[in-house]
Amino acid sequence: MAKEIIKIENLKRYFKVGDEIVKALRGISFTIYEGEFVTIMGTSGSGKSTLLNTLGCLDTPTSGEYYLDGIAVKGMGKNERARIRNRKIGFIFQNYNLLPKTTALENVELPLLYNSAVSAKERTERAKKCLNEVGLGQRMLHKSNQMSGGQQQRVAIARALVNNPVIILADEATGNLDTRTSFSILTLFQRLYREGKTIIFVTHNPEIALYSSRNITLRDGRIVSDEYNDDIQSAEEVYRNLPVEE
Amino acid sequence: MNVSNLFKIAIKALGNNKMRCFLTMLGVIIGVGAVIAMLAIGQGSKNSIKAQISEMGSNMIMIFPGGDTRGGVRQSSDDMQTLKPADYEALLDQSVNIANITPTVNSSGQWVNGNNNYPSQAQGVNTQYLDIRQRKVSEGEMFSENDVKTAAKVCVLGKTLVDNLFPGGTDPIGKVVRFGSIPLTVIGVLDEKGYNTMGQDQDDLALVPYTTVMKRMLAVDYIQGIQASAIDENRTEETIAEITDILRTNHKLRDDQDDNFTIRSMQELAEMINSTSSMMTMLLAAVAGISLLVGGIGIMNIMIVSVTERTREIGLRMSIGATGRDIMTQFLIESILISVTGGLLGILLGAIATWLIKLIANWPVQIDPSSVILSFAVCTLIGIIFGFYPAAKASNLDPIEAIRYE
């Protein structure tokens, strides 16, 4: 039996907007095991962003339980949640969110700067290793604004890997990229999946579910389907067959 | 999170906006520079007044005829004649606190030597005048007690008079010059002192026995003033009280009558000048302080803009594990770095400005180390105070909203 990385039970999240109560999540339960590549799908307003924020320890549920790597997140204070984000979670955003005018290497080092247990030397070594992993070994000293979208997203992925997280949370990670670059990034995600990383990929694009191992679909704050994918397509193959744009 | 990492982050962030950073600093630089330069001018003028006064004799006491004129007018012209040689003699006999004492009687007129003449005064004094005013005779000698007794026709000239009456460097000793119609033999030349802070030529001076001025020049029986020095400058107050007693007895004043003389001490004068100059210094420093305050507000302004502009960066830092405290510390370090660097450059600017003032205007200036420490401390404080609000604002951001901020 694989290790439980994420376990949520009857998770609810209500917001108060004016006099109205918006029920973003109306009772969600699932367990994600180590080594899974899960896509969470849903239209806008389905509650997927709220779920992602909760899974990422940025938000706390109104009710229900959340265990991340066996630790109960509910009831944690702000600082404890910041610490758990720093040690256990790797975030990847749609718009990359790299620091401007800053080199790839420094961007990747950033999470480790907030971890005083990591020395300066170890920090640089780990950042370099992660950049090599995402194929940017030659561009470590390029500044973020000198790179293409795909390269920037690779830097962001390296940044998400550098703290050896138990889970990688990607929010529309290919949303800003053209098809070809999207597939090259997906190829990278699939490689990380094969290497045993646990990944949650939130998207509204149903096509991406073909390349993950499990797909959870949300609608109106509830799970409408939770299916394992027995026939994972290869993103690399698609990438190879795509015509190179002139 | 260790602070040295936050320092690196803060320096990096400031480096990304060098021009803005420098302009923000400029407010502090000018503020601190101005405070230091103003305090240096104030301290310098205080020091030079102090030096001047101690050179003139800080234990000096001056007695003038007539009552206190503060808040009123003198009663009559007779009042100006209330001091007699007998008062001087009484003080000389009875006072225990007075070290040296001289009557003063001055006559204005023209000094003449052949074709050369010079308008000045003849100061009638006794031999103790030199000790009271801390002057020396550099050539020849001072007139004697006997010269005073006999109202001898002798004089001791200051350098300015010598230069004007004996152009071409003739030795004046033993020569006879005229003051008005009275011939006087030059028996000595006073040491050269130059101008004092108030711009008076301290060498434009000729000393004559006071009896000579009274009897031969003015033909009066009163004296214009008495100058004395206390044995100890710390006992000036007691000396003044003693002089008041002796003079009141001598003048047969009843208890309900006001003094018909006025006593001023050099210490009083020093305090008066000092308080005026302190007030000016405080005023200047206050104006400079306001510019420092404006500089601080500039820091706050830029930090607020910077926080808004970097909302997404803050959101990102929080989502990858920065605590509110980390963010707050980072922004506080940024504002303190701006203010402290500005402060250091301001001290440099203040020192240069002070040096230029000394060089160009030739004012006495002195940078007081306490003013440097003070303005530096104020600067750091300004960085903390004006950085606090923006830093707190940054640390209170919600990472969920901040990361999606456009």
Side-chain angles (χ1 to χ4, degrees):
Chain A
M1 182 87 183
K3 197 173 152 200
E4 287 175 359
I5 296 295
I6 282 177
K7 185 179 182 188
I8 55 176
E9 287 167 358
N10 200 21
L11 199 72
K12 290 180 182 168
R13 181 71 173 102
Y14 299 163
F15 295 101
K16 213 176 164 189
V17 182
D19 294 334
E20 231 174 311
I21 289 178
V22 178
K23 297 180 176 178
L25 297 175
R26 304 166 183 239
I28 288 179
S29 306
F30 60 70
T31 303
I32 291 172
Y33 297 95
E34 189 170 25
E36 284 192 284
F37 180 2
V38 182
T39 43
I40 294 179
M41 204 119 351
T43 52
S44 64
S46 61
K48 63 182 193 308
S49 291
T50 308
L51 179 60
L52 184 81
N53 289 338
T54 310
L55 294 180
C57 302
L58 291 166
D59 202 357
T60 43
T62 311
S63 70
E65 294 301 327
Y66 172 25
Y67 299 95
L68 173 64
D69 202 20
I71 303 162
V73 176
K74 201 187 163 198
M76 273 190 173
K78 261 185 164 182
N79 289 346
E80 282 174 283
R81 279 188 283 128
R83 190 181 159 87
I84 206 164
R85 288 198 294 271
N86 185 244
R87 308 296 154 88
K88 296 203 177 284
I89 298 172
F91 276 104
I92 299 164
F93 304 94
Q94 180 172 4
N95 45 20
Y96 331 128
N97 277 320
L98 299 183
L99 295 185
K101 301 181 191 171
T102 306
T103 62
L105 188 63
E106 285 171 306
N107 265 298
V108 176
E109 282 181 348
L110 198 61
L112 301 181
L113 273 174
Y114 292 100
N115 182 349
S116 45
V118 180
S119 71
K121 191 169 165 246
E122 189 189 346
R123 190 164 69 219
T124 313
E125 273 169 13
R126 276 165 69 172
K128 281 182 178 166
K129 190 171 143 265
C130 291
L131 277 168
N132 278 322
E133 262 176 59
V134 299
L136 286 176
Q138 303 304 310
R139 293 179 193 271
M140 288 189 193
L141 299 180
H142 284 226
K143 295 205 168 158
S144 47
N145 41 336
Q146 297 167 335
M147 287 188 279
S148 70
Q151 288 168 340
Q152 288 190 52
Q153 195 60 296
R154 280 168 191 273
V155 175
I157 292 169
R159 185 179 63 195
L161 292 171
V162 79
N163 56 344
N164 288 324
V166 295
I167 182 97
I168 295 169
L169 292 176
D171 182 10
E172 298 278 11
T174 57
N176 274 11
L177 302 170
D178 61 63
T179 315
R180 203 180 142 76
T181 318
S182 291
F183 277 101
S184 84
I185 294 294
L186 268 182
T187 308
L188 179 57
F189 272 104
Q190 283 194 326
R191 209 185 79 213
L192 294 173
Y193 161 63
R194 281 198 302 277
E195 286 168 8
K197 299 267 193 280
T198 316
I199 301 165
I200 295 181
F201 195 115
V202 175
T203 178
H204 67 270
N205 181 1
E207 205 189 336
I208 293 175
L210 300 173
Y211 308 94
S212 68
S213 70
R214 179 181 172 189
N215 180 46
I216 297 172
T217 309
L218 293 183
R219 187 179 297 156
D220 299 329
R222 287 199 178 87
I223 295 176
V224 291
S225 77
D226 182 354
E227 293 161 344
Y228 285 87
N229 183 2
D230 298 328
D231 180 25
I232 302 171
Q233 311 257 319
S234 166
E236 196 174 4
E237 234 167 74
V238 182
Y239 174 70
R240 285 228 192 90
N241 295 333
L242 278 174
V244 181
E245 281 173 52
E246 294 300 317
Chain B
M1 178 71 206
N2 61 38
V3 178
S4 84
N5 283 350
L6 287 175
F7 248 101
K8 271 180 218 154
I9 292 170
I11 288 170
K12 175 95 190 148
L14 292 178
N16 281 346
N17 258 314
K18 288 192 192 69
M19 188 65 181
R20 178 199 281 186
C21 183
F22 173 73
L23 288 176
T24 313
M25 247 180 233
L26 204 56
V28 180
I29 294 174
I30 292 173
V32 171
V35 168
I36 286 183
M38 292 307 141
L39 289 178
I41 290 173
Q43 189 63 38
S45 75
K46 244 187 216 175
N47 284 357
S48 101
I49 290 168
K50 214 171 169 183
Q52 201 90 48
I53 282 170
S54 78
E55 200 170 283
M56 270 155 64
S58 50
N59 55 352
M60 202 171 112
I61 294 164
M62 289 154 288
I63 306 159
F64 304 103
D68 202 329
T69 55
R70 275 177 291 193
V73 283
R74 288 177 199 272
Q75 283 137 352
S76 73
S77 61
D78 287 353
D79 229 27
M80 297 305 294
Q81 302 179 9
T82 52
L83 286 180
K84 309 281 183 195
D87 291 324
Y88 154 67
E89 279 151 22
L91 289 173
L92 194 62
D93 288 348
Q94 296 166 30
S95 172
V96 292
N97 285 317
I98 288 174
N100 292 298
I101 183 163
T102 176
T104 58
V105 203
N106 296 347
S107 171
S108 295
Q110 199 81 4
W111 288 88
V112 183
N113 175 35
N115 291 331
N116 304 304
N117 62 72
Y118 189 74
S120 184
Q121 288 192 327
Q123 288 202 23
V125 295
N126 72 6
T127 53
Q128 294 182 3
Y129 177 86
L130 294 184
D131 290 326
I132 297 168
R133 303 302 294 255
Q134 304 191 349
R135 302 286 303 243
K136 282 191 176 60
V137 172
S138 58
E139 289 172 53
E141 56 191 9
M142 184 61 178
F143 48 76
S144 63
E145 298 276 352
N146 199 43
D147 289 333
V148 175
K149 248 177 230 164
T150 58
K153 290 189 269 189
V154 292
C155 65
V156 176
L157 299 181
K159 197 76 176 66
T160 305
L161 275 156
V162 172
D163 289 346
N164 281 288
L165 298 177
F166 299 95
T170 327
D171 182 9
I173 307 293
K175 300 279 187 328
V176 176
V177 295
R178 275 191 302 115
F179 181 74
S181 58
I182 299 155
L184 298 162
T185 310
V186 182
I187 58 167
V189 175
L190 286 166
D191 58 342
E192 197 171 347
K193 276 222 164 172
Y195 289 81
N196 67 11
T197 19
M198 284 148 259
Q200 287 168 330
D201 182 0
Q202 300 176 92
D203 298 318
D204 183 1
L205 174 78
L207 303 179
V208 180
Y210 74 96
T211 45
T212 312
V213 179
M214 280 175 73
K215 289 173 188 159
R216 299 188 193 274
M217 296 178 186
L218 298 175
V220 292
D221 66 345
Y222 59 88
I223 53 179
Q224 290 163 351
I226 297 172
Q227 291 184 6
S229 58
I231 290 173
D232 183 350
E233 67 174 287
N234 298 322
R235 296 189 58 168
T236 313
E237 297 271 327
E238 294 155 52
T239 314
I240 289 173
E242 188 192 48
I243 293 171
T244 309
D245 270 354
I246 294 170
L247 288 181
R248 282 186 73 91
T249 313
N250 221 30
H251 289 178
K252 300 187 175 66
L253 292 175
R254 290 191 311 273
D255 284 351
D256 61 335
Q257 283 176 304
D258 288 336
D259 292 346
N260 56 3
F261 52 89
T262 309
I263 304 174
R264 293 262 181 275
S265 70
M266 212 48 147
Q267 274 191 336
E268 233 179 11
L269 184 74
E271 274 159 29
M272 211 170 71
I273 296 174
N274 242 341
S275 77
T276 314
S277 113
S278 286
M279 212 172 75
M280 282 309 288
T281 309
M282 288 319 292
L283 203 73
L284 290 171
V287 172
I290 287 171
S291 77
L292 189 57
L293 185 75
V294 172
I297 293 171
I299 292 183
M300 178 141 96
N301 191 12
I302 283 302
M303 291 311 290
I304 289 175
V305 170
S306 173
V307 167
T308 310
E309 204 182 61
R310 285 155 67 191
T311 301
R312 255 175 61 187
E313 177 197 319
I314 294 162
L316 168 79
R317 287 181 188 278
M318 284 179 157
S319 61
I320 60 170
T323 58
R325 202 193 175 86
D326 288 336
I327 299 293
M328 174 130 175
T329 313
Q330 178 192 336
F331 279 88
L332 264 185
I333 289 174
E334 281 184 32
S335 70
I336 292 170
L337 274 178
I338 289 180
S339 65
V340 166
T341 315
L344 287 173
L345 291 174
I347 289 170
L348 195 69
L349 179 77
I352 292 172
T354 306
W355 178 73
L356 281 178
I357 288 167
K358 190 179 181 137
L359 196 76
I360 296 169
N362 205 17
W363 287 2
V365 286
Q366 199 207 346
I367 294 180
D368 193 348
S370 71
S371 80
V372 174
I373 294 166
L374 180 84
S375 51
F376 193 71
V378 167
C379 235
T380 315
L381 212 62
I382 275 181
I384 295 171
I385 291 169
F386 289 99
F388 191 82
Y389 171 70
K393 200 178 153 188
S395 71
N396 283 331
L397 285 173
D398 178 3
I400 299 168
E401 282 165 25
I403 195 98
R404 294 194 171 81
Y405 181 86
E406 294 297 331

